[in-house]
Amino acid sequence: KVQLKESGGGSVAAGKSLRLTCEVSGYTSRSYCMGWVRQVSRNRAREGIAAIDTDGNRLYADNMKGRFTISEDNAKNTLYLEMSDLKPDDTAWYICAADARCAQIIDRAAGMDYWGEGTLVNVSS
C-alpha cells in the first residue's frame, strides 16, 4: 500500500517562497502518477496543482503554471513542490497524491488512489 507523508508547511508572508516535501513509501517501482493538490478547507473541493507521470514528465494545472514547480528525488522516494511569490489566496492544505492517471490529480483532484493528510500553508498579507 502506498503511504504519503507531507511536510514543510507553515506560516509565511506574502511574496515569500516555500518548499513542500512528500515522503513516499509502500512501493518500489514507479507505477503511479505522483502529484499535489490543495484544499482551502476540509469542506471545500480540492484543486489540482501539478503532477509527474511515470515517464518523469511534469504536468501543471493551467492556473498553477509559473509559481509552482514539482520535482522528485527517486533515490529518496520523495516528491517536492516549490512555491514562489506566495499570495494570501494560496493559503490551503497541500496534499500529496498518487493515482494511476495524472488527470485524476490535475483535472479532478478527487477520487485519487492514495493521498496524505496534508500540510497547512498559511500566507499572510
Side-chain angles (χ1 to χ4, degrees):
K1 178 182 177 182
V2 177
Q3 293 183 305
L4 309 171
K5 175 64 176 175
E6 305 91 339
S7 62
S11 295
V12 295
K16 298 295 186 180
S17 299
L18 204 61
R19 186 176 81 161
L20 306 181
T21 298
C22 174
E23 297 176 15
V24 184
S25 61
Y27 77 102
T28 57
S29 62
R30 188 64 186 289
S31 57
Y32 290 95
C33 177
M34 303 296 302
W36 293 89
V37 302
R38 69 182 184 184
Q39 190 173 27
V40 173
S41 63
R42 295 304 192 182
N43 61 351
R44 295 276 295 273
R46 293 172 177 170
E47 182 179 26
I49 301 173
I52 297 180
D53 67 16
T54 54
D55 293 324
N57 298 306
R58 303 180 188 188
L59 309 169
Y60 294 91
D62 287 341
N63 61 334
M64 299 294 179
K65 294 176 181 176
R67 297 188 299 115
F68 296 88
T69 302
I70 191 170
S71 62
E72 62 181 348
D73 185 334
N74 287 328
K76 296 181 179 179
N77 266 358
T78 302
L79 189 73
Y80 302 100
L81 183 69
E82 301 267 2
M83 306 184 294
S84 63
D85 189 23
L86 283 164
K87 306 178 187 306
D89 285 347
D90 293 319
T91 294
W93 286 92
Y94 285 74
I95 301 164
C96 183
D99 198 273
R101 300 191 312 134
C102 285
Q104 203 74 1
I105 297 173
I106 296 291
D107 299 330
R108 293 197 61 209
M112 298 160 296
D113 292 335
Y114 301 100
W115 61 92
E117 294 288 326
T119 184
L120 180 60
V121 173
N122 183 36
V123 184
S124 59
S125 57

